[in-house]
Amino acid sequence: MDKNQKWKYFLKELANQIFFWFFGIIFFTLFRIVFIFLFRKQLGPSADSTEIFKALASGFSFDATVMGYFLILPFLLLLVFAPFDTFRPAIITRKITQALFVILSTVICIVTIGYFQEYHDQFNNFLFLSLYDDQKAVAKTLMADEYHPLLNMLTFIVVIATGIVILIYSEKKDITYRMLQKFNFKYSRPLLVFISVALFVCSLRGSFSTVPAIRKWAGVSKDAFLNKTIVNPFRSLKYALEDFNELNLLEGKNPYLAESDFKASFPEDQITDILRKTAGGPTIEKPKQIFLVVMESYDSWPLMDKYLPFKLSSNLNRIAKNGTHFTDFLPAANATFDSFGAVVTDVPHCGVNISQLGTVNEPFETSIFRQFKKLGYETNLYYGGFLSWENIGEFCKYQGVDRIFSGVDAGGKSDSGDWGIEDEKLFGLVLKNTDPQKYSLNIILTSSYHPPYAIDIYKKGFPYHSEEDFPVSVRKYYDGGMTMKELGHLWYGDQAIGGFVDVAEKKYPDGLYCFTGDHFGRRFINHNPNLYEKSSVPFIMYGKSIPKAINRTPGGHVDIMPTLIEMIAPKGFQYYSFGTSLFAKEKNMAFGLDKMIVPNEIYYFPKDAKVEKINLRTFTESKLDKSALKAEYDRYMALTWQYTIKGNNLKKQTVKTKKSK
């Protein structure tokens, strides 16, 4: 083969690879435009055309990196084998890579849209909860109508077919090759090869400068939603896996504090030495039964005065007005089991899924079941789903629960889908199995307000069929952020709670009733909730000894147990807790995952982005380059991570840590 013939074959394959690169860039750019259009209601007032262009331009850097990795093998094979007049390895590899790109990219883009619809973010370590979740329930949820399975399948077929046709057509027509042929002058061939290699390296880095395309520098827009569209779905998945591994590997390093800082902060021999507390003496008559209801996806906003006319939470609002309502309250996490686990163990959620840790470490001394048994209470768990979900049955047994009841005990039929029985049936199970004569702590985890939203809400009496049915005073707050079906399930959960309390307070007149949500429901009546509305869950205490009050003490899930213990335990009773009683005068902060609440303010510490802050009295939001409170958050979470992953003994093993970020 002469030099001209060799150059012709080389140039043809290089042209095909260049076209493939541009094809991928255009593919992801179109996806990003479609993504912005689909979720356009989440755009804020600052999202003008300039901001959209900035997001698309920054997204190009991440797309270029992904395309560089897709092309790395075909391009290197072309460079290696071309001097030997062999082009087939590069051609075959490129064609296989093209097919994989079209299929995988279509899948990941469709999944990203569905994931964002549910979790309001591209992939994060929350994605890997599916490793532990009820696979059948997850699958059924994803097949629900609101996730458009038929439309997704049609889109999948059309996009793949179109992509493959375009790539085949381009190769046959040699469009790019004819353009490169015009690049013909003295030294043009070595110069073209040099430029190709240089551009390929820049593509891998996503940048022509010394700063590569990384997540830390992705937030170029003033609009929070646009910033979420910048990182390419493949890179987003990569970051999610890195974040998950950073927090969840048993042999990993403490991600929150450097080793020297950790040792200086916690010189004790055991973590329980730090967590040990002594009760000051009872402040109310010891209740015979304690009911702690953890409500699926129930956030604080339906109880806010401005939204009360919707009447989505009339019963819980009535209970709150006749008890103590803690308004400045954060969930432990963004997922049901993570928050439930924090309520049960009283160990804050630090990003580690504890459902499958099993017997790696001893049961937590902080367990609510273990400590309430010392106070003479039988401990019961009532869950509306199945005990296989998140290993919840074995998990609670290991943490010391006496008795467990699930949806199976209510007939084994799941009328509302695979996530569990209706809340009415669950509360019926509670009323049937809680002995009025026994002292008992009863933790109840509901499940109805959750996809696939299968309850017949209109049969239950839900009054709204369209926006026109809303009271006029609150129509301005609604822009379709939630469907009628979703609003109906929120309303239904409240109806079930009201019915339960009406019956229970007659059957258990000495009972104490507590209600909290597990996490922000990831749904809001419009597309722009503020930081409080998309963070807070309620905590409400109700019973004959509970005063009528609104309490603005900063609190969180791990504060529930010490609050109850300090109310009822005899003076001198020793217990262990990461939290503090919500009635303690010194109580001035609480923590959730990536969030912290102090008097009148919530702070959000997103990774590689500015700190977000909201004033809880004026609801004014702002962004900060940094906050001194982050050090307090890291210290708290470092101890939590250590106890969760490494166990109680601080001296038994060397703490492997890395430098603070």
Side-chain angles (χ1 to χ4, degrees), residues 367-378:
S367 164
I368 193 171
F369 298 132
R370 292 164 63 90
Q371 299 190 95
F372 267 80
K373 281 198 279 191
K374 295 176 185 176
L375 291 169
Y377 284 87
E378 176 184 73

Side-chain angles (χ1 to χ4, degrees), residues 284-318:
I284 65 171
E285 182 181 346
K286 185 177 180 180
K288 200 124 190 186
Q289 293 83 26
I290 299 174
F291 299 95
L292 173 54
V293 183
V294 182
M295 304 174 291
E296 170 67 55
S297 300
Y298 212 109
D299 23 38
S300 288
W301 71 262
L303 295 169
M304 296 173 67
D305 289 341
K306 64 191 290 188
Y307 303 122
L308 285 178
F310 279 108
K311 296 183 179 179
L312 299 170
S313 58
S314 300
N315 289 285
L316 195 58
N317 181 55
R318 166 176 57 87

Side-chain angles (χ1 to χ4, degrees), residues 421-600:
I421 57 174
E422 288 101 330
D423 289 349
E424 289 172 288
K425 288 186 176 181
L426 173 63
F427 287 123
L429 199 64
V430 175
L431 293 166
K432 178 182 177 181
N433 290 282
T434 303
D435 190 339
Q437 305 305 316
K438 281 186 178 181
Y439 284 92
S440 62
L441 169 72
N442 307 281
I443 296 183
I444 305 161
L445 178 59
T446 70
S447 56
S448 287
Y449 180 34
H450 193 289
Y453 302 112
I455 294 172
D456 188 342
I457 54 175
Y458 294 109
K459 185 177 180 181
K460 301 290 185 181
F462 182 57
Y464 304 134
H465 289 78
S466 71
E467 181 180 352
E468 299 302 315
D469 295 329
F470 293 149
V472 175
S473 63
V474 290
R475 287 181 192 173
K476 60 185 177 182
Y477 299 124
Y478 182 78
D479 72 356
M482 295 177 69
T483 65
M484 290 299 140
K485 184 188 289 187
E486 291 165 348
L487 288 168
H489 281 72
L490 172 60
W491 170 89
Y492 169 73
D494 179 75
Q495 295 295 302
I497 286 168
F500 166 66
V501 172
D502 289 343
V503 175
E505 62 181 343
K506 295 175 183 177
K507 187 173 183 179
Y508 313 105
D510 297 325
L512 172 62
Y513 304 87
C514 303
F515 302 88
T516 190
D518 57 353
H519 57 79
F520 164 62
R522 299 188 286 272
R523 284 163 176 78
F524 189 62
I525 50 174
N526 59 59
H527 290 83
N528 294 285
N530 63 39
L531 185 57
Y532 175 79
E533 291 165 340
K534 63 184 178 183
S535 299
S536 179
V537 297
F539 179 54
I540 296 164
M541 303 182 74
Y542 172 75
K544 69 178 184 180
S545 301
I546 303 301
K548 298 179 182 180
I550 293 177
N551 190 309
R552 303 199 186 280
T553 301
H557 278 150
V558 297
D559 298 318
I560 294 175
M561 187 191 72
T563 300
L564 293 172
I565 288 178
E566 291 288 352
M567 290 172 68
I568 66 175
K571 186 175 182 179
F573 176 79
Q574 283 197 344
Y575 65 99
Y576 303 93
S577 176
F578 273 89
T580 304
S581 171
L582 291 164
F583 294 111
K585 292 181 180 179
E586 70 276 12
K587 177 76 169 147
N588 63 358
M589 65 178 62
F591 302 87
L593 184 64
D594 298 327
K595 292 176 182 174
M596 184 173 179
I597 187 167
V598 296
N600 302 321

